[in-house]
């Protein structure tokens, strides 16, 4: 199965749609373009207006299509951790009384048995991660094909998402003029590019600072151990700036991007910039330190809430520390604030590829990498879940949209697989907003910082 054509990864965020295009024609993944576009029709990671979201998707894909001079027909889309549910699943089928060679159809039958047995009402499967296949109930193998068996059994983890949310995503993509090939769990996609083997094995935290939400996923022993979500993000920081400085949200976002710092210690009150204030004829001068105090107050509140769940699961003891992604992490000093609040090592991840050197593209790049690395077994899984062969995410202008492409990967023990404990007391949760904006062991701050914390509570 030759790796030809293009792959297009899509990350639909609350504040922006990100897309990455990679060329696979040379039997290796080569990123050739990326683009982003402001999002409308989304709130806290979910679609609230299909037509507006479709317009945002169309804008981003048209941009990257022009950049890469390619014709895009299909995409692979990431599903955020806030939508995911993980359940253990198993299936068992008979192969033949006298024993016979296991083929693709047999594997698909046992996968279908496992998937159908674990799906609950209102949920829809997006991926299944096989942990092991059992030949005749005793021989543990990774790939049972071409082996002689009387029975075949599979055990693994089923990832599902709310059917209504997946419907809205598909419909928005279709309204934009494209087809969704299949879904990829975003935390697995990010982990595939942001964490190395040691971090996945010995433990690490992926902290995604998005525009509408902030999420944290704990990876330990190559498994998803815990995940949590806070319904605040970069948008809320922008709103704070708008309220305090009495300026429009558009102006607030602009000055946040141009002059914003997450860590006030990196700023100086002597560095000032003009701000257009509502009701004033002339701009007012604001200093960097004042702006940074506004940003820092909200960011610390978000991190403190997220940190409570992480601390309860001993995540801060993991040697991998915190890997930070997401558009809000571009604020200078974000990693220093995370280090200070959580008392762990922290780093900001951004892809190394030219044109992708921005934390904003971590998820969409991860989606492309994850899709490209699909193994034969994963292809069979997707053919069961999506009832059709897994096709390429895009073709060049010379290729027909009907041509089918396949993407394989070699499975390894480092593949991240969620387990039952994810849902048993550690299920993805929406942490409630509260007025406690500091941890017990955090040193007290005075002055503007305390004022803004009280102001936003």
């Amino acid at each position: 199965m030759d790796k030809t054509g293009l792959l297009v990864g899509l990350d639909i965020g609350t504040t922006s749609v990100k897309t990455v295009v990679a060329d696979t024609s040379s039997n290796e993944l080569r990123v050739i373009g990326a683009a982003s576009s402001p999002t409308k029709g989304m709130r806290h990671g979910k679609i609230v207006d299909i037509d507006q979201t479709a317009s945002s998707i169309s804008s981003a894909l048209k941009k990257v299509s022009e950049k890469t001079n390619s014709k895009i027909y299909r995409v692979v889309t990431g599903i955020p951790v806030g939508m995911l549910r993980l359940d253990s699943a198993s299936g068992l089928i008979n192969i033949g009384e006298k024993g016979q060679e296991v083929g693709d159809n047999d594997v698909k039958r046992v996968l279908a048995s496992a998937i159908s047995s674990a799906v609950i009402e209102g949920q829809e499967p997006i991926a299944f991660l096989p942990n092991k296949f059992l030949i005749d109930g005793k021989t543990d193998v990774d790939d049972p094909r071409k082996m002689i068996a009387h029975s075949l059994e599979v055990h693994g983890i089923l990832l599902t998402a709310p059917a209504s949310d997946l419907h809205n995503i598909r419909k928005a993509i279709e309204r934009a003029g494209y087809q969704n090939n299949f879904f990829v769990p975003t935390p697995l996609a990010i982990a595939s590019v942001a964490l190395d083997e040691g971090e996945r094995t010995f433990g690490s935290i992926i902290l995604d600072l998005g525009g509408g939400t902030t999420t944290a996923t704990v990876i330990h022993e190559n498994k998803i151990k815990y995940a949590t979500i806070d319904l605040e993000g970069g948008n809320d920081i922008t709103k704070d700036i708008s309220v305090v400085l009495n300026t429009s949200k558009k102006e607030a976002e602009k000055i946040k991007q141009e002059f914003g710092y997450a860590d006030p210690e990196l700023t100086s009150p002597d560095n000032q910039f003009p701000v257009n204030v509502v009701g004033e004829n002339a701009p007012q001068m604001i200093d960097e330190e004042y702006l940074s105090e506004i940003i820092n107050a909200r960011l610390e509140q978000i991190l403190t809430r997220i940190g409570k769940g992480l601390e309860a699961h001993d995540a801060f003891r993991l040697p991998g520390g915190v890997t930070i992604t997401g558009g809000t992490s571009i604020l200078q000093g974000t990693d220093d604030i995370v280090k200070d609040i959580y008392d762990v090592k922290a780093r900001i991840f951004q892809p190394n590829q030219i044109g992708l050197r921005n934390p904003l593209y971590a998820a969409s790049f991860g989606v492309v990498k994850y899709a490209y690395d699909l193994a034969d077994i994963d292809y069979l899984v997707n053919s069961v879940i999506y009832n059709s062969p897994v096709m390429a995410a895009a073709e060049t202008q010379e290729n027909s949209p009907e041509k089918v492409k396949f993407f394989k990967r070699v499975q390894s023990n480092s593949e991240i697989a969620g387990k039952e404990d994810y849902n048993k007391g550690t299920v993805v949760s929406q942490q409630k907003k509260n007025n406690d904006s500091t941890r017990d062991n955090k040193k007290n701050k005075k002055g503007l910082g305390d004022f803004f914390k009280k102001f936003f509570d």
Side-chain angles (χ1 to χ4, degrees), residues 245-305:
L245 300 185
N246 196 26
T247 188
S248 67
K249 289 183 180 178
K250 183 177 180 180
E251 178 80 358
E253 178 66 23
K254 178 182 176 182
I255 64 175
K256 183 183 77 172
Q257 297 289 341
E258 293 183 5
F259 306 105
Y261 287 81
D263 187 355
E265 293 184 3
L266 301 177
T267 65
S268 170
D270 297 329
N271 296 329
Q272 298 184 336
F273 53 89
V275 175
N276 294 319
V277 177
V278 176
E280 298 289 340
N281 293 327
Q284 290 189 1
M285 300 303 294
I286 302 296
D287 65 76
E288 288 180 346
E289 186 178 43
Y290 188 71
L291 175 63
S292 180
E293 292 286 358
I294 300 172
I295 294 171
N296 180 265
R298 178 66 67 179
L299 183 59
E300 285 199 358
Q301 288 184 355
I302 294 171
L303 294 176
T304 298
R305 290 194 296 267

Side-chain angles (χ1 to χ4, degrees), residues 66-81:
E66 292 174 359
K67 281 185 177 181
T68 59
N69 192 30
S70 62
K71 197 80 171 180
I72 296 174
Y73 300 101
R74 294 178 288 272
V75 299
V76 180
T77 307
I79 299 298
V81 69

Side-chain angles (χ1 to χ4, degrees), residues 175-358:
R175 292 270 182 94
Y178 305 89
Q179 292 181 346
N180 182 62
N181 221 21
F182 58 95
F183 294 114
V184 168
T186 298
L188 299 187
I190 294 176
S192 70
V193 295
L195 302 182
D196 60 28
E197 176 69 21
E199 290 168 331
R200 290 192 292 263
T201 301
F202 295 104
S204 186
I205 301 168
I206 297 176
L207 180 64
D208 189 0
L209 302 176
T213 61
T214 300
T215 62
T217 306
V218 177
I219 306 297
H220 186 211
E221 295 176 346
N222 300 312
K223 308 177 185 95
I224 298 177
K225 287 291 189 178
Y226 172 73
T228 185
I229 180 172
D230 189 271
L231 298 180
E232 289 186 356
N235 264 354
D236 297 277
I237 295 175
T238 300
K239 291 176 184 177
D240 292 345
I241 296 171
S242 173
V243 170
V244 175
L245 300 185
N246 196 26
T247 188
S248 67
K249 289 183 180 178
K250 183 177 180 180
E251 178 80 358
E253 178 66 23
K254 178 182 176 182
I255 64 175
K256 183 183 77 172
Q257 297 289 341
E258 293 183 5
F259 306 105
Y261 287 81
D263 187 355
E265 293 184 3
L266 301 177
T267 65
S268 170
D270 297 329
N271 296 329
Q272 298 184 336
F273 53 89
V275 175
N276 294 319
V277 177
V278 176
E280 298 289 340
N281 293 327
Q284 290 189 1
M285 300 303 294
I286 302 296
D287 65 76
E288 288 180 346
E289 186 178 43
Y290 188 71
L291 175 63
S292 180
E293 292 286 358
I294 300 172
I295 294 171
N296 180 265
R298 178 66 67 179
L299 183 59
E300 285 199 358
Q301 288 184 355
I302 294 171
L303 294 176
T304 298
R305 290 194 296 267
I306 285 284
K308 289 180 179 179
L310 295 172
E311 189 169 22
H313 290 82
D314 293 327
F316 296 129
R317 296 184 180 181
L318 300 175
V322 179
T323 298
I324 310 166
T325 67
T328 302
S329 66
I330 65 174
L331 292 170
Q332 294 187 52
T334 298
D335 51 345
D336 293 329
I337 296 300
V338 172
K339 290 175 186 176
D340 179 50
I341 293 179
Y342 295 154
D343 193 24
V344 296
K345 67 177 183 179
R347 65 180 176 90
I348 296 174
F349 170 79
Q350 61 182 18
N352 291 324
Q353 285 74 6
I354 296 176
L356 294 185
R357 290 169 184 168
N358 188 320

Side-chain angles (χ1 to χ4, degrees), residues 74 106 382 410 415 452:
R74 294 178 288 272
D106 298 314
N382 280 347
V410 178
E415 184 64 42
F452 286 123

